[in-house]
Amino acid sequence: MHPAHHAAAHPEKPAVIMAGTGETLSYGEMEARSNQLAHLWRAEGLRIGDTIAIVIENDPWFFPLVWSAQRSGLYYVCISYRLSPEDLSYILEDCGAGAVVGSSATAELLEAVSKLGVTRPTWLIDGDAPSLADAIATLPVTPIADECGGTDMLYSSGTTGRPKGIRKDISGHDPIDAPTPLGKVARAKFGMGPDTVYLSPAPLYHAGPLRWCMLIQRLGGTVVVMEKFDAEGALAAIERHNVTASQWVPTHFNRLLQLPASVRDGYDLSSLRIALHAAAPCPVPVKEAMIDWWGPVIHEYYAGTENNGLTMIGPEEWLTHRGSVGRAFVGEVRICDEDDNLVPPRTEGSVYFAGGPTFTYHNDAEKTRSAINRHGWSTLGDIGWMDEDGYLYLTDRKSFTIISGGVNIYPQEIENILAVHPKVADVAVIGAPCPDMGEKVVAVVEPRDWADAGPALAEELMAYARERLGGVKTPRQIDFRAELPREPTGKLFKRLLRDEYRALSGAAA
């Protein structure tokens, strides 16, 4: 299906509701605006296979923009407005954007990009000219003559290096309402459809929120979008709009659980039937606490922006396979050693998907080749193991592995332990240079109360970790930060921390 079908059948039905302001965009309005925008792209000379870039905050305009590109056979590149001008410039050049859409909130960033020499036709969804509303005001609200299916080209978050665009081929012949793999998941696994009211608390430029929101609109449901995540505000939105489905990341769960019990118990969440979570491993105690609170509605999946495969696990399964991210739903999971040989159950190795959709990293043939092994299976770069029943357990990302004294140490395991300490709000574990051991384990902690930051808490956390992990995995150093460098999507920019500690080591040497 496609929003165009629902616009014809139920033009007044809300396609989008903004959780904070209550602003609503109906299917009829979204259809008219996306058609006008499609005419604008054609008038600007954009043809099938070309690209537009979207650099805006969560706003109702987001959806007409992406649907206009999708029905025009274009790539739509949704970009974080939190990037530096240099990183944004790189992405705009790399993706070959033929047009850019910003907002009054991102205008200063786009102006800084233009001063770096990256100029593209640019419109703003609000504020002064060049106004997107003015640009489409007289254009037809009917479809363009050469509609065909386009797709997103989203960039990796750059947690371990320069962001890379994940590109799928556009055939130029696919209908705009061609079935999607995610549609199969939503209908078969969760029974989603026109009655679904879906809460999206995360930035829409991220793959998960964007693709699930667009899927709900394909199905004719209503998407409730939070302008910015707020823990109590999310609970209020579920109650106010009778939300039936939602998507989260573990950081959201942590923030929700940190609310006082009187606040958590003060909202009616009985309408919620499905609460999806992904993007980062969730510590077992955190998920246990969420299931205790929300009941058996929490489902987890493992996938990436590359969309090369998918695992899923429901709450009942998870309670008998705690810590697992589920069994394969799209593609088949394979665990391989460094020579690409399959390993036995419960043996750690690189996680690959066989038989899943293909992808390429835009303008990076070497990175594409490195993600595909000799069997033709593709990987997101994660390490994990499978049990005898085919349930996958993630250990960490390969690039995050700490090698100390010749021993492989996986930061995620240490983070999962420290994250549930009552004085810890957030934590990142990295390997820092060590002349004796090669690398040493360093935990960078964001305390719940900054007044606790200091040697006493560091000692307490080391003892806490040593009791649960043993001496080898216990951090040799614990430092404190008021805030860790995380995306609102939950992605942690470990690269920034590792680079900083390497630079400090080099300066000390």
Side-chain angles (χ1 to χ4, degrees):
M1 295 291 280
H2 190 272
H5 299 293
H6 307 298
H10 306 286
E12 301 303 319
K13 182 175 181 177
V16 184
I17 301 173
M18 300 304 295
T21 65
E23 183 180 356
T24 298
L25 185 72
S26 71
Y27 273 94
E29 292 167 331
M30 188 169 74
E31 170 73 1
R33 195 179 293 177
S34 69
N35 280 326
Q36 289 178 307
L37 287 164
H39 282 283
L40 175 64
W41 308 140
R42 290 292 186 259
E44 288 294 315
L46 298 180
R47 299 294 179 255
I48 294 169
D50 288 338
T51 302
I52 67 167
I54 302 168
V55 192
I56 65 174
E57 63 275 26
N58 284 5
D59 186 277
W61 271 97
F62 217 109
F63 296 101
L65 282 165
V66 293
W67 286 117
S68 73
Q70 188 274 340
R71 70 194 311 157
S72 303
L74 302 179
Y75 290 103
Y76 43 102
V77 180
C78 305
I79 309 174
S80 170
Y81 48 85
R82 301 170 185 271
L83 296 179
S84 68
E86 291 76 16
D87 282 345
L88 179 55
S89 298
Y90 161 77
I91 292 177
L92 292 179
E93 291 275 37
D94 187 70
C95 75
V100 179
V101 178
S103 69
S104 59
T106 64
E108 184 176 344
L109 173 61
L110 294 174
E111 177 63 23
V113 167
S114 70
K115 291 179 180 177
L116 294 174
V118 180
T119 58
R120 297 288 189 277
T122 302
W123 292 269
L124 303 182
I125 60 172
D126 56 2
D128 298 330
S131 164
L132 193 59
D134 290 345
I136 66 173
T138 60
L139 295 178
V141 298
T142 51
I144 56 176
D146 59 341
E147 280 192 329
C148 72
T151 189
D152 61 52
M153 184 171 80
L154 304 180
Y155 276 69
S156 63
S157 59
T159 55
T160 60
R162 197 74 157 173
K164 291 298 176 184
I166 292 90
R167 190 177 179 95
K168 306 276 185 177
D169 289 336
I170 291 177
S171 72
H173 305 291
D174 289 334
I176 62 173
D177 58 356
T180 64
L182 202 55
K184 171 188 173 184
V185 174
R187 287 189 293 267
K189 189 80 172 176
F190 303 121
M192 292 180 177
D195 295 332
T196 298
V197 180
Y198 178 85
L199 177 66
S200 183
L204 293 171
Y205 58 74
H206 189 60
L210 176 66
R211 290 171 179 169
W212 278 98
C213 286
M214 292 183 74
L215 172 66
I216 298 304
Q217 291 171 345
R218 281 184 178 273
L219 300 175
T222 296
V223 173
V224 179
V225 177
M226 296 188 72
E227 290 87 346
K228 182 180 180 182
F229 177 71
D230 171 77
E232 186 173 358
L235 301 180
I238 293 171
E239 180 181 82
R240 182 182 308 117
H241 299 288
N242 292 311
V243 167
T244 62
S246 55
Q247 178 172 298
W248 313 84
V249 298
T251 303
H252 292 152
F253 286 165
N254 279 326
R255 299 295 186 262
L256 288 163
L257 290 168
Q258 288 170 17
L259 291 171
S262 59
V263 174
R264 286 192 277 125
D265 296 340
Y267 291 93
D268 180 1
L269 310 180
S270 60
S271 63
L272 192 61
R273 299 197 298 267
I274 302 292
L276 299 162
H277 75 95
C282 185
V284 169
V286 171
K287 188 162 179 177
E288 288 173 334
M290 288 301 300
I291 292 175
D292 287 344
W293 177 14
W294 285 4
V297 300
I298 297 178
H299 297 254
E300 183 171 1
Y301 69 92
Y302 164 63
T305 306
E306 291 83 348
N307 202 25
N308 62 328
L310 176 77
T311 70
M312 303 202 79
I313 189 166
E316 292 85 0
E317 289 177 285
W318 187 87
L319 288 171
T320 58
H321 297 81
R322 293 172 194 252
S324 174
V325 294
R327 293 191 286 189
F329 196 84
V330 175
E332 299 175 353
V333 176
R334 301 282 187 265
I335 309 296
C336 297
D337 63 20
E338 292 185 358
D339 296 318
D340 294 337
N341 299 312
L342 290 172
V343 299
R346 299 186 181 275
T347 304
E348 286 180 336
S350 296
V351 180
Y352 285 87
F353 280 103
T358 60
F359 68 92
T360 60
Y361 291 107
H362 186 51
N363 290 336
D364 197 332
E366 178 55 36
K367 185 173 176 66
T368 302
R369 280 193 295 269
S370 69
I372 301 172
N373 69 9
R374 60 185 171 89
H375 305 291
W377 307 336
S378 61
T379 182
L380 301 175
D382 290 312
I383 295 172
W385 55 275
M386 277 202 302
D387 66 17
E388 293 79 1
D389 299 320
Y391 285 89
L392 174 64
Y393 298 75
L394 296 179
T395 305
D396 214 323
R397 291 193 68 83
K398 187 173 184 179
S399 56
F400 293 161
T401 303
I402 301 168
I403 304 177
S404 183
V407 177
N408 285 1
I409 299 172
Y410 301 113
Q412 188 64 54
E413 181 182 8
I414 306 169
E415 289 168 355
N416 286 346
I417 293 296
L418 292 177
V420 296
H421 188 281
K423 294 181 182 178
V424 173
D426 202 357
V427 60
V429 173
I430 61 170
C434 174
D436 183 33
M437 304 293 285
E439 286 187 300
K440 62 181 177 181
V441 179
V442 175
V444 185
V445 171
E446 178 185 327
R448 290 197 182 185
D449 185 345
W450 183 250
D452 290 332
L457 180 56
E459 288 295 330
E460 180 180 338
L461 294 176
M462 285 183 181
Y464 181 83
R466 188 175 295 107
E467 180 183 346
R468 291 158 177 80
L469 296 168
V472 174
K473 300 175 184 177
T474 296
R476 295 296 184 267
Q477 179 177 330
I478 294 183
D479 297 330
F480 297 99
R481 296 287 175 89
E483 185 176 8
L484 292 183
R486 269 192 196 275
E487 275 272 5
T489 56
K491 294 284 187 180
L492 180 66
F493 286 108
K494 282 191 177 180
R495 171 175 56 88
L496 300 179
L497 291 173
R498 293 195 306 173
D499 289 351
E500 178 183 333
Y501 277 80
R502 279 169 170 73
L504 288 171
S505 175

